[in-house]
Amino acid sequence: MVEQVQQRVVFDDLEIGEIAVELDDKEPQDVIAWALETFGDRIAVVTALQAEGMVVLDMAYRLKPDIRVITVDTGRLPQETYEFLDRVREHYPDARFEVLFPDYREVEVMVRKHGVNLFYKAVPLRLLCCHIRKVRPLLRALQNLDAWFTGLRREQWASRANIKKVELDHDHGGIVKVNALADWTKEEVWDYIRANNVPYHPLYDKGYTSIGCAPCTRSIQPGEDDRAGRWWWETNAPKECGIHCPIETGGFEHEVHAILGEAHGHLEEK
């Protein structure tokens, strides 16, 4: 039996720019349908199981039940997230879930040098932890994709205000990032969830509005921004882990390089 291997689908900036203009006023389902038709099995839903990611997963599943779904177990997730992941897998039985883990050698070196709760000590150490536990596992997965679905929306944070529904992801090899919900509001996300009986993370019912690792996420207070519960002890720091935008705070890249060198011997960070 000869296995058929789908050829890579690659766009340049001009091409994807023209497509982005065409899709900008389209509904999320239309954007997702275009992406599935264009990339086939070389696209996946990458999600931390938050509300937006669940909407994208639900829409994609209705079009392609065997959609690939990638999520990262950082090793520090809330117990509720693990239980919710089991529910999601039962709700979408034909989807192909891939749970990624950080490299244990990198985690061991990081914890030995800085402690298990290093993220509370300084922003560069928090970014280091995000990089080792979340960003690098995703980088491995993205290397084998031509495109990925995200749940990003423009109104979530200043760093996301200018995202397009499809755009080249130059930080990850120039593959295509598909932000089908870019122009949706939070209310539209929850309207879809309720109308379509989409499962949602139980921590939303406890006042959480953005959910990541357990030590780095809390519920928010009335009047706070939706991302105020992420890394709440930091001031003037990006509310990002680094997967969706480059972090330019300086200071943590050198330590990343040192940890990778110690964890892998001769290997350099790629």
Side-chain angles (χ1 to χ4, degrees), residues 44-45 68-73 89 96-100 141 145:
V45 176
R68 292 177 64 185
V69 183
I70 296 173
T71 191
V72 175
D73 179 356
R89 296 176 69 126
R96 292 172 291 161
F97 286 87
E98 302 170 28
V99 181
L100 308 181
L145 296 175

Side-chain angles (χ1 to χ4, degrees), residues 50-156:
Q50 298 192 65
E52 290 82 359
M54 291 307 304
V55 169
V56 172
L57 167 56
D58 189 82
M59 290 177 175
Y61 187 85
R62 292 170 189 267
L63 295 168
K64 188 177 189 303
D66 64 342
I67 183 72
R68 292 177 64 185
V69 183
I70 296 173
T71 191
V72 175
D73 179 356
T74 65
R76 301 300 299 269
L77 298 178
Q79 179 59 29
E80 290 89 342
T81 298
Y82 296 111
E83 295 168 357
F84 181 55
L85 176 57
D86 285 341
R87 282 182 52 207
V88 173
R89 296 176 69 126
E90 292 173 3
H91 194 86
Y92 302 102
D94 295 325
R96 292 172 291 161
F97 286 87
E98 302 170 28
V99 181
L100 308 181
F101 298 88
D103 187 304
Y104 74 92
R105 294 163 297 184
E106 298 169 9
V107 174
E108 285 181 357
V109 174
M110 178 180 70
V111 171
R112 183 169 66 247
K113 295 183 67 173
H114 300 292
V116 71
N117 288 328
L118 68 163
F119 33 81
Y120 291 135
K121 299 177 181 177
V123 172
L125 290 179
R126 192 273 290 172
L127 293 170
L128 171 67
C129 191
C130 289
H131 192 79
I132 295 296
R133 289 187 179 276
K134 183 175 182 180
V135 175
R136 282 184 56 77
L138 279 178
L139 291 179
R140 293 200 309 268
L142 295 180
Q143 287 176 347
N144 297 315
L145 296 175
D146 291 341
W148 55 310
F149 289 113
T150 82
L152 297 182
R153 294 185 295 108
R154 291 168 184 156
E155 70 169 18
Q156 284 175 317

Side-chain angles (χ1 to χ4, degrees), residues 153-226:
R153 294 185 295 108
R154 291 168 184 156
E155 70 169 18
Q156 284 175 317
W157 196 250
S159 58
R160 303 177 179 184
N162 296 316
I163 61 172
K164 295 179 171 53
K165 292 189 177 177
V166 294
E167 57 190 8
L168 286 192
D169 187 350
H170 290 292
D171 295 321
H172 302 118
I175 65 174
V176 174
K177 183 185 282 188
V178 181
N179 310 308
L181 304 183
D183 60 352
W184 266 29
T185 64
K186 181 173 68 174
E187 288 72 25
E188 287 177 295
V189 170
W190 284 99
D191 285 347
Y192 182 92
I193 287 174
R194 297 185 187 98
N196 294 280
N197 195 31
V198 177
Y200 65 89
H201 199 296
L203 287 180
Y204 284 109
D205 289 336
K206 297 182 178 180
Y208 288 69
T209 49
S210 180
I211 302 164
C213 289
C216 300
T217 307
R218 64 161 172 75
S219 59
I220 66 170
Q221 300 300 314
E224 285 188 316
D225 183 272
D226 279 352

